[in-house]
Amino acid sequence: AAAVPNPAPAGCSASLQAVVYRSADRGQTWSPPRALNDDACASGNSHRDPRLSVATDGRIDAAFYDNRRDPAHNSFDIEYTNSTDDGLTFGPNSRVSDTSFDGMLLFAPLANGFQTRDYDTVTGLASTNGGAIVAWGDTRSNPGGSTDVFSSRIGLMPPPPPPPPPPPKVTHYRLTHPRFAAVGARPAPRRPKARKLEHGTTFLFTLSETASVKIVIARRLPGRRRGGTCVAASRRLRRARACVRIARAATLRHAGARGANRIAFSGRVRSRALRPGGYQATLSATDSGGRTSRAQTIRFTVLGG
């Protein structure tokens, strides 16, 4: 491969220039150096340690240290430019850093050049078709000279969206009385030593946030399997596999608050008492953003009054 040409554009050897070389033949020959900085090379400004990155659409991004904004040339910024013609030309420079920082703490002058303090290890550039991210060593927060890493987004690339808030959670879901009679239900014969019969119950649960609560009450009935469905038993299906058929009986709605909640349930739906038998209640909560909790199901038994 051919040797790289002189490391500075013609007439610019008196100051440090951020330059790029271009090869269209896999490094056999190289173009003359092209300055990435767009100020006059005779200005005495220092431009150093450029980084290049290429987006998948072919755009070439470049970023470098630059002290053009300080007449004394002690404070540095990070400048950015890009090329959309395969490196033939680069566009105007734009300032990336929002605050200048003391570059002399990074580039300590010596008789034969510059002494660095590991700034190279934290200078980086990454590109996407929508923009770029540049990271650099910066001493603005540390007057003593230690370096922090700062970064900035460039171009059309928006910051990643925050993760969506989680759906509400329902915990500690239970009934005060899992076996009860409906309020006002017709009395049923009882054995002499039967325990005191509770009338009605209360749903207890805890919400992680304010949400609209729905409790679907359904009766659990014996059935027979027909294909993939559980249907009512019949003589024709008497040999089919037994199953439990779920028949919706009522839906309760409640404006739930964050924390502990209580919903009283009399065992009556539209003024009618639920028939004795096995039931289940499935609770779900939906918040203001439309996110719905995982459903929680609990079984209970309605007894004759």
Side-chain angles (χ1 to χ4, degrees):
V4 174
N6 188 305
C12 295
S13 57
S15 62
L16 288 174
Q17 303 295 304
V19 300
V20 64
Y21 305 89
R22 182 178 184 274
S23 175
D25 55 9
R26 298 179 181 271
Q28 296 302 309
T29 58
W30 292 89
S31 69
R34 292 179 174 84
L36 297 172
N37 49 284
D38 59 3
D39 57 343
C41 64
S43 63
N45 299 332
S46 177
H47 322 86
R48 56 181 302 131
D49 302 291
R51 290 291 183 270
L52 296 179
S53 180
V54 182
T56 55
D57 63 3
R59 189 193 72 252
I60 303 173
D61 295 314
F64 51 91
Y65 288 92
D66 185 290
N67 67 2
R68 75 181 74 179
R69 289 177 172 78
D70 179 14
H73 293 162
N74 292 325
S75 296
F76 278 75
D77 282 281
I78 299 296
E79 295 286 331
Y80 165 83
T81 183
N82 66 47
S83 171
T84 56
D85 57 6
D86 297 328
L88 291 173
T89 60
F90 282 81
N93 297 168
S94 60
R95 185 186 187 191
V96 175
S97 50
D98 58 351
T99 299
S100 300
F101 50 91
D102 188 351
M104 303 313 293
L105 296 174
L106 291 175
F107 317 120
L110 298 176
N112 58 351
F114 289 83
Q115 173 184 342
T116 66
R117 300 190 179 185
D118 292 332
Y119 65 93
D120 280 332
T121 63
V122 294
T123 308
L125 184 63
S127 303
T128 71
N129 291 346
I133 296 177
V134 59
W136 67 94
D138 192 315
T139 60
R140 72 180 74 175
S141 302
N142 301 289
S146 58
T147 303
D148 289 324
V149 179
F150 285 75
S151 66
S152 181
R153 296 178 182 273
I154 302 168
L156 302 178
M157 185 171 57
K169 288 185 179 181
V170 179
T171 57
H172 304 98
Y173 179 41
R174 65 185 182 88
L175 288 170
T176 54
H177 306 299
R179 295 171 61 86
F180 64 93
V183 174
R186 181 178 301 175
R190 299 186 209 163
R191 286 179 287 183
K193 294 185 179 181
R195 297 192 314 180
K196 179 183 177 181
L197 187 63
E198 299 290 345
H199 287 79
T201 189
T202 300
F203 293 99
L204 305 177
F205 56 92
T206 300
L207 291 179
S208 62
E209 60 177 288
T210 299
S212 175
V213 174
K214 180 174 71 172
I215 300 178
V216 177
I217 297 174
R219 193 173 183 187
R220 297 174 59 84
L221 298 168
R224 294 288 178 177
R225 184 69 63 181
R226 185 176 66 187
T229 307
C230 187
V231 299
S234 67
R235 182 177 179 82
R236 184 178 180 183
L237 296 172
R238 64 185 182 277
R239 297 184 183 277
R241 191 174 63 180
C243 58
V244 176
R245 184 164 54 96
I246 306 300
R248 180 177 296 196
T251 300
L252 307 180
R253 298 186 184 276
H254 175 73
R258 180 179 180 180
N261 287 258
R262 301 170 62 93
I263 301 178
F265 179 53
S266 66
R268 304 183 69 86
V269 178
R270 292 185 292 275
S271 75
R272 287 190 174 186
L274 294 179
R275 293 182 179 181
Y279 290 81
Q280 67 182 38
T282 301
L283 184 150
S284 60
T286 303
D287 65 13
S288 59
R291 293 170 289 271
T292 300
S293 71
R294 179 180 298 179
Q296 302 279 359
T297 298
I298 191 171
R299 295 182 187 180
F300 62 92
T301 302
V302 174
L303 304 172

